Amino acid sequence: MSDPSAASRPVQAVVLAGGQGSRLRPYTDDRPKPMVEIPGTGTPIIGHQLSWLAEEGVTDVVVSCGHLADVLQKWLETADLPVSVTTVVESEPLGRGGGLKYAAAHLPHPDQPWYATNGDIWTRFSLRDMADFHTERDALATLALARPRLPWGAVKTDGFGRITDFIEAPPSTFEINAGVYVFSPEFAGLLPTRGDHERTTFPRLARERKLAGFTIPQGSYWRAIDTAKDLTEAAKELAALGR
């Protein structure tokens, strides 16, 4: 029996892979951040992302390149990929919103919804569930939300200021933008040609109640790969998960 929700789920995506990754040096001296390999996997970050997108029903991906674009393009041309990939390179910096708009213009189905993800995100959760959540709320854009673990230990105190417990790397009490999105077809037309959509388009949609937030389910894996420590931690966590 066919799933009626499947018709509204995206089959196309944009991966924003143009960042310089200065905090990941020396790994990013000769490659862009999405080409950094997660230790022990033999696969760069973007390889994991494309596999995940394919598992979630995506068939076409536009990769927006920037820093050391030729290294990323060469890998994409030679790798055995589970999706059809198109690469675009900005001739001049357009900002996050402008870059997203430029990449979206190369999607094969402009009249259909699409996913987007930042090129340094390593995660596993159901994009299908997120797409259904997006449709149910009649949103123009839906952000995945995560509760990252704090890099410090925390303490609990009682009403008299006495310490009652220590908690190692607790989850944040705030949800953050997890760098994974579902967009309706009309969203691309609301993006700035140049500039940052998180300061223009997103606040506007929030005021209009057209911006939704999908909390990544508890127990799902999520990590932003920003530093060498993140690479090490990701390798440990993946080993523990048996992946």
Side-chain angles (χ1 to χ4, degrees):
M1 187 172 175
S2 62
D3 183 351
S5 300
S8 61
R9 293 171 186 158
V11 295
Q12 55 186 357
V14 168
V15 175
L16 298 172
Q20 292 194 7
S22 55
R23 289 197 293 162
L24 260 176
R25 288 177 177 156
Y27 297 100
T28 50
D29 284 344
D30 61 353
R31 69 197 64 194
K33 188 194 281 192
M35 279 301 299
V36 173
E37 180 185 318
I38 295 177
T41 69
T43 304
I45 297 167
I46 194 165
H48 293 286
Q49 290 184 320
L50 295 177
S51 294
W52 174 51
L53 290 170
E55 290 166 6
E56 294 296 324
V58 172
T59 57
D60 293 271
V61 176
V62 176
V63 178
S64 178
C65 308
H67 175 63
L68 297 175
D70 56 324
V71 177
L72 178 53
Q73 288 174 316
K74 185 175 181 180
W75 183 83
L76 290 169
E77 288 168 5
T78 57
D80 182 16
L81 301 176
V83 292
S84 175
V85 172
T86 302
T87 60
V88 297
V89 182
E90 298 171 26
S91 57
E92 57 180 328
L94 300 174
R96 290 192 295 178
L100 192 59
K101 186 185 188 85
Y102 180 68
H106 293 80
L107 287 167
H109 311 291
D111 58 339
Q112 295 180 20
W114 45 293
Y115 297 117
T117 181
N118 296 339
D120 58 356
I121 299 299
W122 171 214
T123 185
R124 281 291 188 279
F125 66 90
S126 174
L127 283 175
R128 292 180 174 91
D129 287 351
M130 184 177 174
D132 293 346
F133 178 95
H134 172 84
T135 301
E136 288 162 5
R137 280 148 188 81
D138 194 28
L140 285 176
T142 296
L143 287 62
L145 305 177
R147 290 185 185 272
R149 290 197 168 276
L150 298 177
W152 316 282
V155 295
K156 279 188 175 181
T157 58
D158 62 16
F160 295 98
R162 290 184 292 246
I163 292 176
T164 59
D165 199 5
F166 291 87
I167 308 167
E168 185 61 33
S172 167
T173 55
F174 293 99
E175 293 181 312
I176 67 162
N177 179 351
V180 180
Y181 313 90
V182 182
F183 297 133
S184 294
E186 312 94 289
F187 177 76
L190 304 176
L191 286 165
T193 303
R194 188 186 301 270
D196 188 348
H197 61 293
E198 295 194 9
R199 298 189 178 190
T200 55
T201 311
F202 279 175
R204 171 186 164 188
L205 292 180
R207 289 192 297 270
E208 295 173 356
R209 300 295 188 265
K210 289 290 187 178
L211 186 67
F214 175 82
T215 301
I216 294 176
Q218 188 173 3
S220 297
Y221 186 78
W222 180 88
R223 179 175 285 276
I225 308 295
D226 287 322
T227 65
K229 183 178 180 182
D230 290 325
L231 280 177
T232 304
E233 293 297 321
K236 288 180 185 174
E237 290 160 355
L238 293 176
L241 291 169
R243 294 178 181 174

